[in-house]
Amino acid sequence: MHKNFKNIEKVVYGRGSFDTMGSILAEKRGGGFFVFLVDNYFKDSELIGRIPASNEDVMRFIDVDPNEPTTEQIDHLRDDILASRGLPSGVVGIGGGSIMDIAKAVSLMFTNEGSSTLYQGLNLVKKPGIYHLGVPTISGTGAEVSMTAVLTGPEKKLGLKCDWTVFNQVILDPELIASVPRDKWFYTGMDTYIHCVESENGALNNAFSHAYAEQAMKLCREVYLGDDAGQTPENDDKLMVASLMGGLSLTYSEVGVCHALSYGLSKILDEKHCYANCLAFQHLEDYYPEGVREFQTMLEKHSIELPQGLSKNWSKETITAMAKVAYNLPHMWRHAVGEDWQEKVTLEDIEALFRRM
Ligand code: NAD
Ligand code: ZN
């Protein structure tokens, strides 16, 4: 019942803190080399010149669109680097939630034999991974702080989840998120907002998770609804902290109905996590009336239009398949609806929620 969670070992925060990476890594190098995994978006940016890489280091640019990270991608990256260069001193991920998950997963797979598909689940990883440092460049998922690295495999979309997944070091530099396009800024930021709404509204909410959620929600409201709402340096400072705190809140509580539906959308229709959450959340007024109302205000304030009537183009089989994925996340329903959730929510009820979309 009582969760015992590992937090990030070290965190540096602030504008320009990216440039502390050189001194941080110097202590960890130990005569070896580092692997830098960087979102392709930054390939031709000035940021590359600021990465403290030496000639021996490996730099890989990764395209994270349109697919979420796969087990095959992780295995291939690991095998390739081990075969050509051997075991690195550490892995550095620079990018969004996708790159955070890739860096965390590769770090573990450098020391755990076989395919990453063997380790999808809770505490299946056998040995600690190598040193890993994360630098988020878009805020909201909380992947920078979570103990899971979500991977899509041939059979399941499931995280490598254990204490060793958590980053050894995170660098939170709000300057890096300034270039995020407005729509992605909105969808990914809303992941944090939804984490808080779901964490707060359920059986597992407690003073610890509540403290993080309350603060993260306050920051989200300033960023998305305040008089100075929008992508300003001050708001970027806040959103980066909100993302971290939203992630911590759900770590000590749980997500709920929106994330259950979102998993269905991602698994069956390949929708990306944050966008899928937004598609689902707008129709969850029965479960989260205040949260959905506030979310609608945020949509209007930023002129974000979510598609309506999508389900008209979904077959009955598609809707049932998505509902089954959602139904098979009992921990989320138990938190959101109660121990007796199966008496209150049927597969047909979940199908009806998808039909609202
Ligand atoms: P992402 O990493 O998928 O990137 C989204 C887009 O933003 C990409 O096009 C990327 O190139 C672009 N981008 C990133 N930083 C940018 C910048 N500074 N300027 C301009 N463009 C930039 O984004 P995300 O929404 O943070 O992450 C989604 C992923 O996170 C999914 O794969 C999901 O499964 C995963 N996730 C993981 C956890 C976890 O706890 N591990 C939680 C939620 C979601
Ligand atoms: Zn989420």
Side-chain angles (χ1 to χ4, degrees), residues 141 191 195 259 273 277:
T141 64
D191 196 20
H195 288 160
H259 273 72
H273 178 78
N277 278 343

Side-chain angles (χ1 to χ4, degrees), residues 39 41-42 64-65 68-69 96-98 101 104 137-138 141 143 146 148 150 176 179-181 184 188 191 272-274:
D39 189 310
Y41 168 81
F42 294 103
V64 299
D65 295 316
E68 302 204 326
S98 304
D101 283 353
K104 291 195 278 187
T137 64
I138 176 170
T141 64
S146 76
T148 184
V150 182
L176 302 182
S179 57
V180 173
K184 292 176 185 174
T188 299
D191 196 20
K272 287 199 92 172
H273 178 78
C274 304

Side-chain angles (χ1 to χ4, degrees), residues 116-136:
S116 49
T117 54
L118 297 170
Y119 307 105
Q120 283 180 285
L122 179 63
N123 292 334
L124 300 177
V125 175
K126 298 198 170 59
K127 298 176 201 160
I130 63 171
Y131 177 82
H132 47 307
L133 185 162
V135 187

